[in-house]
């Protein structure tokens, strides 16, 4: 037997370099295009601290487009990685970042603030949602998802099977959406509109001040995920094999859920419940790189997630127009056909998950 | 014996219910596994083989008593320490996703690698050795999803082996396999026990294979305590017979296999020897005849004779003076039925 016939494991370098290059390209592109198009070379000038052709461009890029692009990168990576973790933990292809009810908690929080306060009668205080909207909504969503996180983590330490958690998250989602519909039913039109606007999702709302909170939280969450590649790989064989290979399953599950909740919760708080990316990107990467190895998947899923978020945001901004489409609609509209095509072409989805 | 790798003491196995009384599957189980032995656990369905296997493997806590592996209690060992001593292969078909067989075996190095699961040179060698040991070198590059059940089970055994344990525990590893595959898996396991000095415990329904390959058999039955011993001793003591005794089926001491009772069609005489006689006897027994082979003198019975020609074999049946010739056993049997 010749030694080099043994396969080598681990990520292939050129693939990682390739998608990193794509990430940088789309990042620059999202800074360049919008209601006003700015040449790429001027974008680069601004980024390295030089003066572009027009001074107004510097302001547009630094104050508006850069925070939005950075948010998109963080959100895409965060949602995709948390989706991957949930799919592996629950061995379920339909799992996503919100399967544990994180978004339900966040929407309940936001609904209580946006809709509930009005119902109590403090209408004048909320008349200008812009004043309250920035941080108020973020705090409400954070508290909401934080509560769900706490409940899920407490339960996760007690139950033996991950499936119980899955059903619990589902039930929690039903209960909260029922509460939200009651709140919607008793609300006035403008409030409902504000709430619905939040549910559309947007990367544009995050200011540099808020970024000081968002960025460290997401980076921490992604760091935890990258440290979890080995337990995630062990879980591919199911919890019993994982335990027999020396994994402390409950502890691993705790950290996987914690990092997912931090990532998905923070993004939902700042950007609204952004769907699709979390479910689709892991499938896309499994198909593209033909692997289930999390040492490859976690980094590539973060990068591809970031790229797709940037593209979705680019399309939502409708370059050269002044309209902005709802982000949630775009992620699904452009994403669903792409992912369907990739998966049908490779036909290995069922092989990865059939049980 | 001093070189027992695993010992159980007064083990009670079963399922604890928080509010009701526990469901006890087996009581007072005291067994031991010597180093380098292949042990087969057999018993009828539902007798608690899996529960015992799972308790020994530390997947389930015993209701009473303890399992000691290398002198330490299995349930008190840290998962990582336990994983270095014991590895498992389960009945359930794993869906590992998009992964090569090599990658799957590499997962067996889990307890030895660093936080990222990076394989050292020694790890790679252990993986390759494990793959070679089960004869799965040609499977290494293949995707796990494309493997047949038998190939997949080989790879799973290689994975258990790559974990470099002292004891490998397998829960019905041959359940879904056809006979040649079952024989192959048993042969691999037997060789592993011989050559590597690792102990192997497996549960199986395949009595015949267990009788032929095991060093020791643990026999579980519904109403008797677990009995263990060399397979032949258990056959001779009649333990096999009363464990598997039920209507319409009987364990045959002589052949070490099961005999299925059918309708009783009476006695028949068969004259002849060799392979043709053997299979003729099987066919006649299947029809419910009590076959008297090569009797000294007998009369009043149907008599079958095997006539070997140059290239073909014929069966001759004599009864009440009539003589008929048949070209195949099928013809003979269908005629007997009339």
């Amino acid at each position: 037997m010749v030694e080099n016939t043994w396969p080598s494991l681990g990520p292939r370098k050129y693939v990682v370099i390739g998608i990193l290059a794509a990430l940088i390209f789309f990042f620059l592109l999202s800074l360049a295009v919008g209601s006003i198009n700015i040449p790429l070379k001027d974008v680069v000038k601004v980024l390295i601290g030089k003066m572009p052709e027009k001074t107004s461009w510097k302001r547009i890029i630094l104050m508006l487009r850069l925070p939005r692009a950075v948010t998109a990168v963080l959100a895409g990576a965060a949602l995709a990685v948390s989706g991957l973790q949930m799919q592996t933990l629950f061995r379920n292809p339909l799992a996503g970042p919100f399967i544990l009810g994180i978004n339900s908690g966040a929407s309940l929080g936001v609904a209580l603030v946006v809709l509930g306060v009005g119902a109590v009668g403090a209408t004048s205080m909320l008349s200008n949602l812009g004043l309250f909207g920035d941080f108020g909504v973020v705090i409400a969503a954070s508290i909401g998802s934080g509560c769900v996180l706490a409940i899920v983590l407490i339960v996760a330490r007690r139950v033996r099977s991950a499936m119980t958690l899955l059903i619990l998250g589902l039930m929690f989602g039903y209960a909260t959406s029922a509460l939200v519909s009651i709140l919607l039913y008793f609300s006035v039109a403008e409030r409902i509109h504000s709430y619905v606007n939040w549910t559309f999702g947007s990367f544009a709302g995050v200011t540099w001040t808020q970024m000081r909170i968002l960025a460290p939280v997401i980076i921490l969450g992604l760091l935890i995920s990258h440290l979890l590649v080995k337990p995630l790989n062990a879980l591919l064989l199911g919890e019993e094999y994982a335990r027999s290979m020396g994994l402390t399953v409950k502890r691993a599950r705790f950290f996987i859920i914690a990092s997912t909740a931090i990532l998905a919760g923070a993004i939902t708080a700042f950007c609204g419940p952004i769907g699709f990316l979390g479910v689709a990107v892991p499938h896309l990467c499994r198909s593209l790189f033909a692997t289930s190895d999390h040492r490859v998947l976690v980094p590539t899923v973060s990068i591809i997630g970031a790229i797709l978020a940037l593209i979705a945001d680019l399309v939502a901004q409708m370059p050269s127009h002044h309209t902005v489409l709802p982000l949630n609609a775009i992620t699904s509209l452009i994403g669903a056909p792409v992912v369907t095509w990739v998966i049908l072409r490779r036909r290995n989805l069922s092989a990865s998950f059939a049980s | 014996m001093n070189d027992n790798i695993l010992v159980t003491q007064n083990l009670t196995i079963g399922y604890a219910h928080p509010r009701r009384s526990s469901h006890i599957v087996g009581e007072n189980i005291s067994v031991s596994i010597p180093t380098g032995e292949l042990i087969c656990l057999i018993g009828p369905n539902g007798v608690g083989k899996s529960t015992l296997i799972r308790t020994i493997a530390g997947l389930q806590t015993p209701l009473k008593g303890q399992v000691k592996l290398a002198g330490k209690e299995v349930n008190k060992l840290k998962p990582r320490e336990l994983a270095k001593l014991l590895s498992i292969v389960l009945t359930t078909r794993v869906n590992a996703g998009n992964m090569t067989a090599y990658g799957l075996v590499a997962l067996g190095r889990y307890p030895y690698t660093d936080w990222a699961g990076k394989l050292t040179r020694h790890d790679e060698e252990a993986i390759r050795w494990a793959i070679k040991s089960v004869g799965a070198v040609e499977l290494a590059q293949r995707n796990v999803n494309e493997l047949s059940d038998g190939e997949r089970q080989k790879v799973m055994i290689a994975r258990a082996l790559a974990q470099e344990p002292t004891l490998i525990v397998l829960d019905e590893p041959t359940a879904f396999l056809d006979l040649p595959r079952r024989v192959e898996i048993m042969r691999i396991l037997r060789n592993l026990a011989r050559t590597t000095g690792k102990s192997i415990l497996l549960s199986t329904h395949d009595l015949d294979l267990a009788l032929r390959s095991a060093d020791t058999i643990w026999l579980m039955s519904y109403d008797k305590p677990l009995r263990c011993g060399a397979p032949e001793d258990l056959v001779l003591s009649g333990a096999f017979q009363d464990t598997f005794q039920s209507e319409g089926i009987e364990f045959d001491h002589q052949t070490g296999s099961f005999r299925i009772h059918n309708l009783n069609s009476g006695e028949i005489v068969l004259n002849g020897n060799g392979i043709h006689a053997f299979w003729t006897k099987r066919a006649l027994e299947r029809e419910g005849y009590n076959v008297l082979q090569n009797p000294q003198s007998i009369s009043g019975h149907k008599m079958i004779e095997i006539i070997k020609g140059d290239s073909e074999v014929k069966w001759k049946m004599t009864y009440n003076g009539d003589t008929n010739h048949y070209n195949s056993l099928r013809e003979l049997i269908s005629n007997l039925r009339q």
Side-chain angles (χ1 to χ4, degrees), chain B residues 45-266:
Chain B
N45 267 343
V47 80
K49 294 193 294 292
S50 280
T51 313
L52 180 58
I53 288 274
R54 293 170 54 85
T55 309
I56 284 175
L59 292 174
Q60 196 172 326
T61 44
L63 295 178
K64 251 187 259 164
Q66 44 187 233
V67 180
K68 277 193 171 175
L69 179 61
K72 289 166 212 147
E73 239 184 283
V74 162
N75 287 95
K76 299 210 172 120
L77 278 172
K78 291 209 177 91
R80 207 181 169 102
E81 291 169 36
L82 178 62
K84 289 181 181 177
L85 291 170
L86 185 149
S87 64
I88 58 169
V89 176
L90 300 172
T91 322
T92 44
R93 199 183 130 114
V94 293
N95 289 291
N98 237 322
M99 192 188 275
T100 57
Y102 187 84
L104 181 69
V105 176
L107 282 178
R109 298 305 296 170
Y110 190 93
Y112 303 93
T113 52
D114 63 357
W115 66 270
K118 189 172 165 48
L119 300 169
T120 61
R121 188 155 187 85
H122 173 72
D123 291 323
E124 300 258 2
E125 276 162 15
I127 295 163
R128 288 164 197 190
W129 167 78
I131 293 176
K132 282 178 192 161
S133 301
V134 300
V137 175
E138 71 282 5
L139 303 178
Q141 305 263 19
R142 303 244 317 263
N143 194 313
V144 181
N145 296 321
E146 297 162 1
L147 300 181
S148 72
D149 286 347
E151 292 169 333
R152 185 190 306 249
Q153 211 57 302
K154 265 206 258 185
V155 173
M156 289 309 285
I157 292 170
R159 189 208 61 83
L161 204 56
Q163 221 170 304
E164 293 189 319
T166 46
L167 171 65
I168 303 178
V169 175
L170 306 94
D171 189 11
E172 292 186 29
T174 56
F176 298 117
L177 309 182
D178 64 6
L179 187 63
R181 239 53 58 191
R182 289 207 297 256
V183 174
E184 187 185 1
I185 297 285
M186 286 299 265
R187 188 182 53 75
I188 289 169
L189 291 174
R190 182 160 183 78
N191 286 344
L192 285 178
R194 281 280 166 284
T195 56
T196 64
K198 295 188 191 306
S199 308
I200 295 172
L201 167 67
L202 69 126
S203 64
T204 180
H205 280 293
D206 214 314
L207 283 144
D208 194 42
L209 268 175
L211 280 174
R212 282 168 207 271
S213 3
D215 294 303
T216 305
I217 282 195
W218 295 357
L219 192 61
M220 272 184 117
S221 41
Y222 291 111
D223 43 2
K224 294 215 170 62
L226 188 144
R227 281 167 287 192
C228 54
E232 296 78 11
D233 284 336
L234 289 176
V235 172
L236 291 174
S237 72
F240 259 82
Q241 210 171 4
D242 52 64
T243 299
F244 291 100
Q245 204 168 38
S246 61
E247 256 173 61
I249 186 163
E250 191 189 1
F251 184 78
D252 189 342
H253 288 277
Q254 310 288 327
T255 60
S257 60
F258 283 95
R259 205 160 50 201
I260 303 159
H261 290 298
N262 288 338
L263 49 157
N264 190 3
S265 313

Side-chain angles (χ1 to χ4, degrees), chain A residues 1 3-9 91 160 226-227 229-231 233-234 236-237 240-248 286-287 290-293 295 348 350-355, chain B residues 54 59 79-80 83 86 88-90 92 94-100 102-104 106-108 110-111 113-119 128 131-132 137 140-141 145 156 159 163:
Chain A
M1 177 89 323
E3 281 301 299
N4 61 17
T5 57
W6 293 103
S8 75
L9 303 170
R91 301 174 63 71
R160 203 174 163 85
H226 279 79
L227 292 175
V229 290
K230 194 178 158 186
N233 272 347
L236 284 174
L237 296 185
E240 293 209 318
Y241 274 115
R243 188 175 296 130
S244 85
M245 290 189 289
L247 178 72
T248 316
R286 275 191 212 98
S287 270
T291 182
S292 292
D293 188 343
R295 279 175 294 167
N348 44 19
S350 60
S352 304
F353 282 102
S355 51
Chain B
R54 293 170 54 85
L59 292 174
R80 207 181 169 102
L86 185 149
I88 58 169
V89 176
L90 300 172
T92 44
V94 293
N95 289 291
N98 237 322
M99 192 188 275
T100 57
Y102 187 84
L104 181 69
L107 282 178
Y110 190 93
T113 52
D114 63 357
W115 66 270
K118 189 172 165 48
L119 300 169
R128 288 164 197 190
I131 293 176
K132 282 178 192 161
V137 175
Q141 305 263 19
N145 296 321
M156 289 309 285
R159 189 208 61 83
Q163 221 170 304

Side-chain angles (χ1 to χ4, degrees), chain A residues 85-101:
Chain A
Q85 295 189 137
M86 289 297 99
Q87 287 175 3
T88 302
L89 181 66
F90 293 115
R91 301 174 63 71
N92 188 327
L94 295 176
F98 301 134
I99 195 131
L100 296 171

